[in-house]
Amino acid sequence: KERQILIDIGANCGDSYTKLLREYPQYAESANTEIFLFEANPIISKHFLPKLSSKDPRVKVYPYAVSANSTTSTMRFTIYYGKSMEHYKDQEIQQMTCHENSILTGSLDDGDYRHGGRFYNVTEGGETKLRKRKSKNVVVKVVNLKEWLRDLNLDKSDSVILKMDVEGSEFGILQD
């Protein structure tokens, strides 16, 4: 039997998932559709994406980063906050909307940094406009996409939609 699977890697607030369901009504209307949302940002995956899974039991949230590297089990990156989120308690964060938080994620190594379709040039000292924002380093679990898909036991007859927005790592993941 053909399975309908929607995989959203870098799900952020879940906007792409809801847009994809509008664009592919056969996925939205089927109770058998399997939906997997990957989001490495622990604030979003803990406080906001579970709201989607409570409304739609087909949704499974994975609080992980996705990588092509099968030897890496964790990843360190920086979260930049639009508001001083580190001062809020969990209960207060849960009362907000995901977009109210204006949360940015990524790393600020030397070179170009991509977020939201914009490129930021990061100098040798790691200075950029983002650096002035409140930030927090986090370590999250990493999943190898190829291995995860293998465990999903896909069949040639399955219909799969894969959306990926992982701050410039898409090509490396897809090449693997």
Side-chain angles (χ1 to χ4, degrees):
K1 182 180 177 185
E2 179 184 327
R3 294 163 62 194
Q4 294 181 146
I5 300 167
L6 189 150
I7 304 166
D8 187 348
I9 300 172
N12 200 329
C13 296
D15 295 341
S16 294
Y17 140 75
T18 54
K19 182 179 179 183
L20 286 167
L21 288 182
R22 283 193 306 271
E23 290 180 16
Y24 296 90
Q26 67 274 25
Y27 280 70
E29 296 163 5
S30 173
N32 295 325
T33 297
E34 300 169 53
I35 302 167
F36 304 98
L37 306 181
F38 287 84
E39 178 54 52
N41 185 319
I43 293 173
I44 294 174
S45 61
K46 176 182 178 183
H47 295 289
F48 302 109
L49 290 181
K51 293 176 185 178
L52 295 176
S53 62
S54 68
K55 292 178 186 174
D56 187 344
R58 303 172 302 167
V59 173
K60 291 176 184 63
V61 176
Y62 290 87
Y64 310 134
V66 174
S67 173
N69 186 345
S70 61
T71 61
T72 303
S73 61
T74 61
M75 179 182 288
R76 178 180 301 276
F77 66 95
T78 306
I79 300 174
Y80 297 89
Y81 303 102
K83 296 182 179 180
S84 299
M85 293 300 295
E86 68 271 20
H87 298 297
Y88 289 109
K89 295 182 173 90
D90 281 356
Q91 260 185 329
E92 294 169 314
I93 293 172
Q94 289 174 351
Q95 300 305 313
M96 299 175 181
T97 67
C98 190
H99 297 291
E100 268 183 311
N101 296 306
S102 303
I103 298 168
L104 304 174
T105 59
S107 64
L108 282 179
D109 297 325
D110 291 344
D112 286 331
Y113 168 84
R114 179 187 165 277
H115 182 271
R118 292 186 63 193
F119 282 90
Y120 298 87
N121 185 271
V122 181
T123 64
E124 190 174 319
E127 293 300 321
T128 181
K129 289 179 183 178
L130 292 176
R131 179 62 79 196
K132 296 179 176 106
R133 299 181 94 161
K134 300 285 185 189
S135 65
K136 178 181 180 180
N137 288 323
V138 294
V139 176
V140 296
K141 182 178 176 184
V142 173
V143 172
N144 177 279
L145 181 62
K146 182 167 69 175
E147 293 170 8
W148 184 83
L149 287 170
R150 190 176 300 128
D151 291 342
L152 203 53
N153 294 316
L154 296 172
D155 187 84
K156 288 181 181 183
S157 65
D158 294 338
S159 177
V160 179
I161 295 175
L162 172 65
K163 172 266 173 187
M164 218 183 318
D165 183 2
V166 287
E167 313 312 334
S169 298
E170 295 87 354
F171 292 108
I173 292 169
L174 289 173
Q175 284 176 341
D176 184 51

